[in-house]
Amino acid sequence: HDPEIRKKVFIAKGRIPKLTNFTQSILKPGQSCPSHAHPDMCEVYLVESGEGRMFLNGQEIMLRQGDCLIVDPGEEHSLQNFSPIDDLLLTYFGIEE
């Protein structure tokens, strides 16, 4: 959602039924993804390295290496790398309902 966030798409939409993407993103220190929701898609995030925070329906959730988080369809969410020095590396995928 933010063109400044570096992304690598492993599997694009259309390759596997209902899979919208299988992607890895790097959020640089201080970088964030704005709040948004997907009405018909579930997302699963795995924190590969770094620390960040997800705001999910107004609740702050701290994320650390090894954490896995599911965002259900319609849930408002945003993501932030609050580290002043370390990248936040995420692998994630989306599945349409």
Side-chain angles (χ1 to χ4, degrees):
H1 300 282
D2 180 344
E4 296 296 315
I5 296 173
R6 196 169 74 197
K7 296 180 183 177
K8 180 179 181 180
V9 177
F10 296 117
I11 302 172
K13 185 174 184 172
R15 179 68 178 92
I16 298 173
K18 298 196 180 265
L19 183 75
T20 63
N21 68 80
F22 182 62
T23 303
Q24 196 169 64
S25 290
I26 297 173
L27 280 78
K28 295 291 183 187
Q31 207 169 26
S32 63
C33 177
S35 186
H36 63 283
H38 306 283
D40 58 355
M41 181 178 76
C42 178
E43 285 183 305
V44 178
Y45 292 87
L46 174 64
V47 181
E48 300 281 353
S49 65
E51 295 183 347
R53 62 183 133 220
M54 171 81 71
F55 293 92
L56 185 60
N57 291 328
Q59 178 186 2
E60 181 178 349
I61 301 168
M62 300 303 293
L63 299 174
R64 290 180 175 74
Q65 183 177 3
D67 287 349
C68 185
L69 180 70
I70 298 170
V71 178
D72 289 318
E75 290 189 310
E76 189 79 21
H77 58 287
S78 65
L79 187 62
Q80 179 185 28
N81 178 357
F82 61 86
S83 172
I85 55 172
D86 295 320
D87 289 348
L88 174 60
L89 175 62
L90 301 165
T91 299
Y92 59 97
F93 61 91
I95 300 173
E96 295 175 329
E97 286 192 309

